[in-house]
Amino acid sequence: MAVHIENVEELCSNLEELELDGSANAEVYTQLLAIYLLQCDICNAKFLWKRIPEDVKASCPELSKLWTLGCHMWKRDYLNIYSSLQQDWSPLIQTYMVSLKEKLQEKAFNLIANAYTYIKVDDFVVYMGMTKESAIEVAKSRGWIFDTNNMLLNPKKPDTVAKEIPLTSEQELGLLTDYVSFLEN
């Protein structure tokens, strides 16, 4: 159910054009704010929130709900991020919110896999925004080991990308010579 990123970027450009033309309404602002959040572009979301006219904010309560979600994202308050995402959203932005949740969960999962040797199940649940049972099942399905005695998860390290081969001394000397020659000329 994830939204195609290419379509989102194109739609974002079109919505920004509408805002610049002065023909933006509550729907345009709502979609644009939702897209900024989907792209994890909190800075642009914040500036958009400040640009939205007060009468539009007052007439569209969903904008306030979106901005509250954005504030939680800014603070990295995962518990409230996921509870905000569970709210009822209009059909206009429902798919964005589902995609955002999936994106945040995948990002959190990968970060945890790279950063932790062991993580408490309760902490993992907060980062993933799932029930304890669901989080454990997701972790197990990806090859993580669950220690039932200590309630810990042992993340499986992701496959590493081929490491960059270091330069030889001659190559490093050649690069240094090129830099010095560039600076002198």
Side-chain angles (χ1 to χ4, degrees):
M1 187 159 204
V3 179
H4 295 293
I5 297 299
E6 308 85 42
N7 298 344
V8 170
E9 289 177 6
E10 183 180 330
L11 180 59
C12 183
S13 295
N14 293 340
L15 293 170
E16 288 170 340
E17 291 278 330
L18 287 173
E19 184 190 8
L20 287 173
D21 293 343
S23 56
N25 57 18
E27 282 187 5
V28 170
Y29 286 121
T30 302
Q31 262 190 301
L32 190 55
L33 187 56
I35 289 171
Y36 284 151
L37 295 179
L38 175 62
Q39 294 172 335
C40 295
D41 190 354
I42 308 301
C43 289
N44 271 331
K46 180 180 178 183
F47 291 127
L48 176 63
W49 178 252
K50 290 183 177 207
R51 288 192 312 266
I52 298 173
E54 290 300 321
D55 60 324
V56 174
K57 289 179 187 177
S59 69
C60 185
E62 193 162 52
L63 276 169
S64 295
K65 285 179 15 181
L66 277 170
W67 180 237
T68 301
L69 171 61
C71 290
H72 295 313
M73 289 174 68
W74 182 270
K75 294 182 236 175
R76 291 183 180 95
D77 182 359
Y78 293 100
L79 199 58
N80 286 319
I81 288 171
Y82 290 116
S83 67
S84 292
L85 285 169
Q86 294 301 323
Q87 297 178 35
D88 290 328
W89 298 99
S90 69
L92 182 67
I93 62 168
Q94 177 66 35
T95 56
Y96 300 134
M97 297 298 102
V98 170
S99 294
L100 177 59
K101 182 177 179 183
E102 292 170 0
K103 181 178 183 178
L104 291 174
Q105 287 175 330
E106 189 61 32
K107 184 177 177 181
F109 194 90
N110 290 333
L111 285 172
I112 291 166
N114 283 317
Y116 285 83
T117 304
Y118 286 96
I119 185 169
K120 294 179 187 172
V121 172
D122 293 335
D123 293 339
F124 183 67
V125 165
V126 170
Y127 290 129
M128 295 299 291
M130 301 176 165
T131 64
K132 192 178 285 192
E133 295 78 23
S134 300
I136 291 169
E137 286 306 312
V138 167
K140 284 181 174 180
S141 71
R142 297 211 185 169
W144 291 21
I145 299 168
F146 175 51
D147 179 359
T148 55
N149 296 332
N150 298 315
M151 294 301 287
L152 295 172
L153 287 167
N154 178 0
K156 178 183 174 190
K157 297 295 177 194
D159 297 331
T160 57
V161 180
K163 293 182 180 177
E164 195 174 304
I165 299 171
L167 298 175
T168 64
S169 297
E170 288 177 358
Q171 290 170 328
E172 286 181 4
L173 187 58
L175 283 173
L176 185 59
T177 304
D178 291 342
Y179 289 135
V180 171
S181 296
F182 175 77
L183 291 173
E184 288 179 351
N185 295 328

